[in-house]
Amino acid sequence: MARLVKSSAPLFVFLVLYTLLVSEVSGNGGRMVGGRAKVNDVKNNKEIQELGRFSVKEFNNHRSTYGKGGEVGELMFSEVVEAQTQVVSGLKYYLKIEVTTQSEEKLVFDSVLVVKPWLRSKELLSFEPSIGLRVRK
């Protein structure tokens, strides 16, 4: 029995080291491949803020196609307050965008868009009010 335990130790060490090596080589920082990743420092990230502006502009241009979001009228972009990315065929962005309505009410909307840099394309997939999120005036 002691011999069996002693001979299993190198195998255990090898498996642990192999697992650590594979997770580091994948370069995903411990995240699941294809999973969402939080974007840090959203308020100072010019690319994310620009994607938020793009989302609001697209929404305003095509309000009738976005379901519930179209009922609020034209919106003015304030800022992106939260963002996540996901690697798909391109980059999918999940944004929480603070906007101001024509009646000066501040609301938060959820926006999903896909960016394919090699095609120079941005596509707004959805733009809807965040459930239960209103911003104080």
Side-chain angles (χ1 to χ4, degrees), residues 116-135:
K116 296 180 181 178
W118 65 94
L119 296 176
R120 294 188 180 145
S121 78
K122 290 184 251 185
E123 180 183 5
L124 182 61
L125 302 178
S126 70
F127 192 90
E128 294 188 351
S130 253
I131 300 193
L133 286 180
R134 280 208 148 92
V135 181

Side-chain angles (χ1 to χ4, degrees), residues 31 37-49 80-85:
R31 293 186 311 267
K38 183 178 179 181
V39 176
N40 295 320
D41 197 22
V42 172
K43 293 185 181 196
N44 294 316
N45 187 318
K46 290 179 183 179
E47 178 187 10
I48 295 296
Q49 295 300 320
V80 176
V81 294
E82 188 178 310
Q84 295 179 331
T85 60

Side-chain angles (χ1 to χ4, degrees), residues 35-123:
R36 292 186 191 183
K38 183 178 179 181
V39 176
N40 295 320
D41 197 22
V42 172
K43 293 185 181 196
N44 294 316
N45 187 318
K46 290 179 183 179
E47 178 187 10
I48 295 296
Q49 295 300 320
E50 193 53 45
L51 288 172
R53 276 187 196 83
F54 171 82
S55 296
V56 173
K57 182 179 176 184
E58 282 294 296
F59 168 79
N60 285 334
N61 290 337
H62 307 285
R63 278 195 307 267
S64 63
T65 61
Y66 292 107
K68 297 176 191 172
E71 300 167 0
V72 297
E74 190 161 324
L75 302 173
M76 292 165 278
F77 174 79
S78 296
E79 67 179 343
V80 176
V81 294
E82 188 178 310
Q84 295 179 331
T85 60
Q86 180 180 25
V87 176
V88 292
S89 177
L91 268 178
K92 189 179 245 186
Y93 290 88
Y94 299 86
L95 308 177
K96 287 204 180 289
I97 303 171
E98 184 181 302
V99 298
T100 305
T101 65
Q102 291 174 329
S103 61
E104 298 189 17
E105 181 180 16
K106 291 191 181 251
L107 301 172
V108 176
F109 275 72
D110 291 324
S111 170
V112 178
L113 60 149
V114 173
V115 177
K116 296 180 181 178
W118 65 94
L119 296 176
R120 294 188 180 145
S121 78
K122 290 184 251 185
E123 180 183 5

